[in-house]
Amino acid sequence: MERTMPRDYYEILGVPRNATKEDIKKAFRGLARRYHPDVSSEPDAEARFKEINEAYTVLSDDNKRAAYDRFGHAGVNGAGAGGFSGGFSGGFPGFEEIFEEFFGGFGGGSRRRRNGPTQGRDLRYDLTIDFNQSVFGAEVDIEVPRRETCDVCHGSGAAPGTTPRRCSDCNGTGQVRQVRQSFLGSMVNVTDCPRCHGTGEIVDTPCSECNGQRTVQKVRKLTVTIPAGVDDGTQIRLGGEGEPGQRGGPAGDLYVVLRVTPHEFFKRRESDIILEVSINVAQAALGDSIAVPTVDGDEEVVVPAGTQSGKVIRLRGKGVPKLRRDGSSAGRGDQLLVLTVEVPSKLTKEQRDLFEQLGRTLGKEVIPQKQGRGFLDRVSDFFGGV
């Protein structure tokens, strides 16, 4: 049996391969009006509409379109999955967009607000910590301003001793429906009830504490546990610490976004800490034992004789804890010590005499260096490979 090859998406929409997103959207709108099964009398309307929707799903998405342009249908295999199930709930991305633009929404859509439990809003709190706190973790007390359920009316919005009554305009549903005629037939537009503002209830005697708003502004004191190894931009979620839900819905969450202040000497690269240290020419030539700072305190480090600028010494386990997704630690990174040989710009008479003696023993021969990779390239290779 001969296999039928799928049609080209650009051909389906009737647009050239260099069409803009606006051209693609315009073409889809015109074809959708013509072939939608609810309004079209074409015998193959359902199959054509599925084909049109699949083409639009791919070509309206930059990543999918790039994959299709390069590999054809094989690059976007399954992009049109979902199928048509009738009415306006068949899962057609883009077709809902047309109705939202022309009619402001339609019945049954997922964007419609329902008169049921609604989760409260999530909140964000920016918390600044220092470098050491990001390395070792900490517990920090914060104060978060947020809306909380009124203690006087317990969230009803009505004064004590009274209760809200059902809104007669929407019969307690919180929504009103309007039927409009369009080129696709009768359309049902669902909006929040203007009288009760979508709550389904009317408060005749508002609570004096919250003025009928059901919530009051308060400051919540919380302790945030910061795990060791966090970095700038890390988010910590505190479940249920956002604003309260409506109509019995759960509270939202609080997201604490960490900002780490830079350290005076240490620089972080993933789980490693980089520290640049200057040594003098005598230490570089003869070698030495030096004390260098780490986040754990000073550490004795041996500088080998003949050290050149840019030499990197690795101090194992002196870096940042490696933070897992569950907040636990998986060992620590390293501290990378970058040595710079500093040439003195001012010398005492004694130092100059000693350098002149040394210079006579070393000679004055100048040795040209062959073209090759420089110091910065070698340092970049080292850091890129750890």
Side-chain angles (χ1 to χ4, degrees):
M1 181 177 178
E2 185 179 355
R3 183 179 178 183
T4 304
M5 294 296 293
R7 291 177 62 197
D8 180 78
Y9 288 146
Y10 292 98
E11 179 186 342
I12 293 171
L13 296 183
V15 296
R17 301 191 76 85
N18 61 349
T20 65
K21 295 186 75 170
E22 188 59 37
D23 292 336
I24 292 170
K25 186 175 182 180
K26 184 177 180 181
F28 170 73
R29 285 177 174 174
L31 292 170
R33 294 188 186 102
R34 178 178 175 183
Y35 289 105
H36 192 277
D38 284 358
V39 297
S40 177
S41 59
E42 300 279 350
D44 61 344
E46 181 173 331
R48 288 295 305 275
F49 189 80
K50 287 173 63 177
E51 189 179 51
I52 293 164
N53 179 73
E54 181 176 331
Y56 180 72
T57 300
V58 173
L59 299 185
S60 62
D61 183 287
D62 290 338
N63 293 331
K64 292 178 182 178
R65 183 179 181 181
Y68 176 72
D69 288 343
R70 186 174 181 184
F71 302 109
H73 289 276
V76 290
N77 187 29
F84 177 75
S85 60
F88 300 116
S89 57
F92 298 112
F95 198 68
E96 178 180 343
E97 176 184 72
I98 297 175
F99 286 91
E100 288 290 339
E101 183 172 331
F102 277 83
F103 305 108
F106 54 86
S110 60
R111 299 182 187 181
R112 185 182 60 166
R113 181 178 177 183
R114 289 178 169 83
N115 188 32
T118 303
Q119 183 172 356
R121 289 196 311 156
D122 293 336
L123 298 178
R124 169 177 172 152
Y125 186 94
D126 291 323
L127 176 60
T128 300
I129 61 176
D130 62 39
F131 188 85
N132 283 347
Q133 288 175 315
S134 73
V135 173
F136 296 110
E139 287 194 349
V140 180
D141 294 331
I142 62 174
E143 294 185 348
V144 183
R146 68 179 187 183
R147 306 291 302 184
E148 294 189 5
T149 301
C150 177
D151 293 331
V152 176
C153 67
H154 305 290
S156 71
T162 67
T163 57
R165 59 182 174 85
R166 176 181 294 183
C167 175
S168 58
D169 286 12
C170 64
N171 198 30
T173 65
Q175 298 169 339
V176 292
R177 297 167 178 259
Q178 293 179 330
V179 179
R180 300 183 182 181
Q181 298 299 321
S182 72
F183 61 87
L184 292 175
S186 298
M187 298 293 300
V188 178
N189 187 35
V190 181
T191 60
D192 285 345
C193 175
R195 185 178 184 189
C196 65
H197 306 290
T199 64
E201 297 177 332
I202 300 295
V203 177
D204 293 316
T205 308
C207 170
S208 60
E209 180 68 17
C210 65
N211 197 30
Q213 299 301 310
R214 296 179 169 83
T215 60
V216 293
Q217 185 76 11
K218 289 187 177 181
V219 175
R220 172 82 163 171
K221 295 183 178 180
L222 299 169
T223 299
V224 181
T225 300
I226 301 171
V230 297
D231 202 353
D232 192 78
T234 297
Q235 292 188 10
I236 299 175
R237 185 180 71 88
L238 301 182
E241 294 296 347
E243 292 196 344
Q246 298 180 17
R247 299 179 292 278
D253 299 328
L254 172 66
Y255 289 88
V256 179
V257 182
L258 301 180
R259 301 298 178 203
V260 181
T261 56
H263 193 274
E264 184 179 7
F265 303 115
F266 298 129
K267 182 178 180 180
R268 178 172 176 175
R269 191 192 63 84
E270 296 181 354
S271 60
D272 293 332
I273 294 176
I274 301 172
L275 175 66
E276 296 184 34
V277 175
S278 297
I279 59 175
N280 62 48
V281 290
Q283 290 173 307
L286 302 176
D288 198 2
S289 178
I290 61 175
V292 298
T294 73
V295 291
D296 299 304
D298 287 350
E299 183 85 5
E300 287 292 325
V301 175
V302 175
V303 177
T307 291
Q308 305 295 314
S309 273
K311 180 176 178 59
V312 179
I313 298 176
R314 183 190 296 272
L315 305 181
R316 300 281 182 183
K318 295 297 181 180
V320 179
K322 300 174 182 178
L323 187 63
R324 292 193 179 102
R325 288 184 178 273
D326 62 1
S328 62
S329 177
R332 289 177 62 175
D334 305 325
Q335 178 166 313
L336 305 176
L337 191 65
V338 183
L339 300 179
T340 301
V341 180
E342 189 160 334
V343 178
S345 57
K346 293 183 179 180
L347 298 172
T348 65
K349 184 178 184 306
E350 179 183 6
Q351 289 171 337
R352 178 175 292 278
D353 291 341
L354 292 173
F355 268 106
E356 288 175 350
Q357 294 178 36
L358 177 62
R360 287 192 291 268
T361 64
L362 296 177
K364 295 184 178 181
E365 182 181 4
V366 176
I367 304 175
Q369 298 294 312
K370 293 182 179 180
Q371 290 285 346
R373 296 171 62 79
F375 159 69
L376 293 178
D377 294 319
R378 296 195 301 274
V379 171
S380 178
D381 284 347
F382 182 89
F383 289 128
V386 294

